[in-house]
Structure formats: structure tokens, C-alpha cells
Amino acid sequence: PAIAAGAAFAQSRDSEAIVLALAADHLVRDTPAFVAACRGGLVAAEAGRIVTFGVKPERPATEYGYIHPGAVVAGEVRAVAKFVE
């Protein structure tokens, strides 16, 4: 609900607003890489796509699902072929 409320507020101020919603418990260690990923995702978002960020897994983990990447959209941005739970 908080993300929906924030998105609705942003849209009320700018009908073309793009919102970045982040989990509060994540640690970003490489700020320049994070900013670059956000800028890459912005290109896809401006084209009307919903953007999600994934990380390369460090180990097999049955408690998490994973994103199966699809075709390249732009740069390092890829479509999601499927999400596997």
C-alpha cells in the first residue's frame, strides 16, 4: 500500500512521473554501479515498461525465486522471460 500511495502521489504531481521503489533493508555497496543500473532501467521505464532489478546469485537457494532473462531491451536491460518460484 505504501508504494501505491507514493506512486499515486507522484502521478498527481506529474502524470509522466517514474517512481523507484526500494526495500529499506538492502545495502548498496557499489553506488556508481547502482546509479548506472537505475539509469539503464530508466530508459525502459520511459518506454512504458515495468522495471525490476535482479542480482546474480552467489549460491543455490530454494527459498528464493529467480528471474529468467529474456531479450535485450537496451544496453544491459533485458526483458523478463519468466519468473521461477
Side-chain angles (χ1 to χ4, degrees):
I3 293 171
F9 176 75
Q11 187 178 36
S12 75
R13 298 190 60 162
D14 177 355
S15 64
E16 299 295 316
I18 295 180
V19 175
L20 175 63
L22 303 169
D25 64 346
H26 287 338
L27 172 64
V28 175
R29 294 179 197 261
D30 186 344
T31 302
F34 176 72
V35 170
C38 290
R39 287 191 176 134
L42 180 60
V43 173
E46 289 175 332
R49 293 179 176 263
I50 295 173
V51 177
T52 185
F53 295 88
V55 296
K56 292 182 181 176
E58 297 175 353
R59 61 181 172 75
T62 57
E63 65 271 23
Y64 298 111
Y66 65 91
I67 299 168
H68 183 80
V72 172
V73 172
E76 293 200 37
V77 178
R78 299 181 69 152
V80 173
K82 65 181 174 179
F83 180 79
V84 179
E85 193 72 51

